[in-house]
Amino acid sequence: MEILQVVGFALVAAVLAVALRREKPEIALLVGLGTGALIFLAFAGKIGAVLTVIEGVAQRAGLNLLYLEVLLKIVGIAYLAEFGAQLCRDAGEGALAVKVEFAAKILILLLALPVILNLLDLLLQLVGIKR
Amino acid sequence: MSQIDLIFKIAGVGILTAVLHTMLKQAGKEDLAHLATWAGVAIVLIWVVKLLGSLFAEVQTVFRLF
């Protein structure tokens, strides 16, 4: 029942953050940051297990592992960007959060470009425009 | 989850700096009060930056972001 641990942990941290917010908002923000990092670190190993299973399924389906890797990278970038943007928003810096999300979108687009190009090539081949 | 003591440590430093701030302010030492606040923030920031470094390393290995 690890969910009980996570919920208890998050509730304790939330109470501490709320208690600190009035006097020392900067330390309340750091409490939130530390809690988020600890919760992710506790469950990173389980994500790895799920990913190895997904990789095995993709291999069995004969899927190109390159695409899976791109997908994984995109998920990682999106997770990190969301983490940072939410913290910025909590700190009251909504403008910074929007910039972090903007940078993440550009990076994700950059990673997805080869896949999109491959798709377009395939389409062109299908309609017979290009050999 | 076993590292909840880190959160308690951070909150403890926060409460301590808040109390110190009010005490020094009452004593009329405003500059020292601000210095104490900044010292507390720096100490906590060092812990949290270490934690954030391990978080980034973990994300990099899990999602293969190299």
Side-chain angles (χ1 to χ4, degrees):
Chain A
M1 292 302 274
E2 274 168 312
I3 188 67
L4 293 179
Q5 282 180 329
V6 175
V7 172
F9 189 70
L11 282 179
V12 169
V15 169
L16 287 176
V18 168
L20 281 172
R21 181 141 293 147
R22 207 159 25 91
E23 294 288 329
K24 292 268 166 282
E26 58 270 26
I27 293 185
L29 182 74
L30 290 174
V31 167
L33 213 174
T35 311
L38 282 181
I39 290 178
F40 182 84
L41 281 175
F43 289 92
K46 294 197 168 51
I47 297 177
V50 173
L51 288 182
T52 48
V53 170
I54 290 177
E55 225 165 49
V57 170
Q59 238 164 9
R60 225 186 297 170
L63 207 70
N64 193 347
L65 278 186
L66 188 82
Y67 296 141
L68 200 68
E69 200 130 309
V70 169
L71 210 64
L72 270 185
K73 280 186 181 168
I74 289 175
V75 172
I77 289 174
Y79 174 76
L80 281 182
E82 188 63 35
F83 189 86
Q86 284 291 351
L87 276 169
C88 287
R89 212 164 271 138
D90 275 0
E93 296 287 337
L96 271 181
V98 172
K99 267 102 186 164
V100 169
E101 279 167 356
F102 171 71
K105 276 170 195 158
I106 289 178
L107 283 176
I108 287 171
L109 197 62
L110 204 67
L111 273 180
L113 268 185
V115 181
I116 295 171
L117 280 182
N118 265 356
L119 182 70
L120 287 180
D121 269 352
L122 195 70
L123 279 176
L124 287 179
Q125 272 179 17
L126 275 180
V127 297
I129 292 175
K130 182 182 148 200
R131 267 264 21 113
Chain B
M1 288 305 113
S2 56
Q3 287 175 293
I4 194 165
D5 54 336
L6 184 68
I7 302 299
F8 285 138
K9 253 160 65 177
I10 294 172
V13 170
I15 293 166
L16 204 68
T17 48
V19 170
L20 220 59
H21 187 92
T22 37
M23 266 172 61
L24 288 170
K25 215 171 187 177
Q26 293 288 321
K29 297 192 164 48
E30 300 258 330
D31 45 344
L32 266 181
H34 283 296
L35 216 61
T37 303
W38 283 114
V41 171
I43 291 167
V44 174
L45 199 60
I46 288 168
W47 295 337
V48 173
V49 164
K50 264 187 211 156
L51 192 65
L52 204 62
S54 60
L55 170 74
F56 285 169
E58 194 73 33
V59 171
Q60 273 190 337
T61 51
V62 167
F63 295 108
R64 272 156 246 173
L65 284 168
F66 294 115

